[in-house]
Amino acid sequence: MGISSSHTENGIIEVTIDYPPVNAIGSRGWFELAKTITYAGEDPEARVVILRAENRGFCAGVDLKEIQRSTGYDALVAANRGCAKAFAAVYDCEVPVIAAVNGFCLGGGVGLVGNADVIVASDDATFGLPEVDRGALGAATHLARLVPQHLMRTLYYTARNVSAQTLHHHGSVIEVVPRAQLDDAARELAKEIAKKDPAVIRAAKEAINGIDPQRVHTSYRYEQGFTFELNLTGVSDHARQAFLDGNHARQANDS
């Protein structure tokens, strides 16, 4: 359980998120994920990194319970810094990162996937930012890399989810497959990239980042500033607790 990595054939490294049941990642987990992806890219034998997940969905974002349990703002600051580190690690990884998305991809999950180089998804995958319902802001930077501007704004304000098929239509998801075939689809793409000259691919990754019109690191930190403001005014604490209370009530009704 946690963050793990494994080397497969042809210089492909798989990094797996495993925080059951929904992959809500605590602050330490975000830093660990950042470190693991960075180390994978620095491996001279690495050619491609696949970012995948176990459990019911790819990632449910930050662990809100950790923030609500803490006093002061230490947990909030750690979660925000951890997310920034993890998102940056995907973007700055020295080799291409393929995100293999199963089930739900929410909040911080969109931050990871939006910074990936290639995205494959299962046919049950959904993507969304519930931030406005949690009293936070963030990852619009990354959602804007997945969908057109006005759709991004609609999804952001409404906290609606969008399907993998919709993202495929807009060109951000390259392939949608049955869930049982997701890992194989990601590995086939990775093998195709891994066959290329690794020096050229590493140079290509750096070059593409260098011409990117969006400065993803600074724009995301700008968004986070409003999250801190909402927390200082007390808005966020009430929103997070309302979500946790409602989620607890739903679980009780299902039992």
Side-chain angles (χ1 to χ4, degrees):
M1 189 177 77
I3 304 298
S4 62
S5 65
S6 60
H7 288 66
T8 65
E9 59 182 334
N10 302 322
I12 299 168
I13 299 178
E14 295 188 1
V15 176
T16 299
I17 302 169
D18 186 8
Y19 290 95
V22 297
N23 288 331
I25 305 176
S27 55
R28 290 185 180 179
W30 289 107
F31 284 104
E32 184 63 27
L33 179 57
K35 186 187 303 182
T36 303
I37 293 171
T38 299
Y39 285 171
E42 291 174 346
D43 186 334
E45 300 300 318
R47 298 195 173 198
V48 186
V49 171
I50 296 175
L51 179 59
R52 60 177 302 281
E54 296 290 343
N55 306 310
R56 287 162 47 191
F58 179 79
C59 180
V62 302
D63 184 354
L64 296 181
K65 292 180 180 179
E66 178 187 49
I67 296 175
Q68 288 303 90
R69 286 194 303 265
S70 67
T71 57
Y73 298 107
D74 287 351
L76 174 69
V77 171
N80 276 263
R81 286 189 173 275
C83 283
K85 287 279 190 183
F87 301 170
V90 173
Y91 187 82
D92 293 327
C93 184
E94 294 181 25
V95 298
V97 176
I98 298 174
V101 184
N102 61 295
F104 47 80
C105 177
L106 303 173
V110 170
L112 296 170
V113 171
N115 269 357
D117 296 280
V118 182
I119 307 164
V120 294
S122 58
D123 54 13
D124 65 343
T126 56
F127 303 74
L129 294 179
E131 269 67 359
V132 295
D133 288 341
R134 313 288 190 265
L137 298 176
T141 291
H142 311 93
L143 184 59
R145 298 168 70 82
L146 301 176
V147 297
Q149 179 68 210
H150 284 86
L151 179 54
M152 180 276 286
R153 289 172 179 259
T154 301
L155 296 174
Y156 202 73
Y157 298 145
T158 62
R160 292 181 185 178
N161 294 338
V162 66
S163 69
Q165 290 80 359
T166 298
L167 295 194
H168 182 261
H169 169 77
H170 289 296
S172 50
V173 168
I174 190 65
E175 191 173 359
V176 179
V177 298
R179 190 160 183 168
Q181 299 174 20
L182 179 61
D183 284 333
D184 287 341
R187 289 165 185 156
E188 285 303 310
L189 274 170
K191 289 176 184 177
E192 185 176 346
I193 297 171
K195 291 178 182 177
K196 311 298 182 183
D197 186 315
V200 175
I201 292 297
R202 285 175 180 261
K205 175 67 184 278
E206 186 175 356
I208 291 171
N209 281 5
I211 64 169
D212 201 326
Q214 176 69 301
R215 298 180 63 189
V216 295
H217 303 334
T218 54
S219 60
Y220 176 60
R221 291 297 279 171
Y222 176 82
E223 289 185 74
Q224 286 186 323
F226 291 95
T227 295
F228 291 129
E229 184 177 300
L230 290 168
N231 275 271
L232 288 172
T233 59
V235 172
S236 299
D237 187 66
H238 293 300
R240 281 192 301 267
Q241 194 58 52
F243 167 73
L244 293 173
D245 290 344
N247 199 40
H248 179 74
R250 286 191 295 272
Q251 290 173 351
N253 290 334
D254 292 340
S255 62

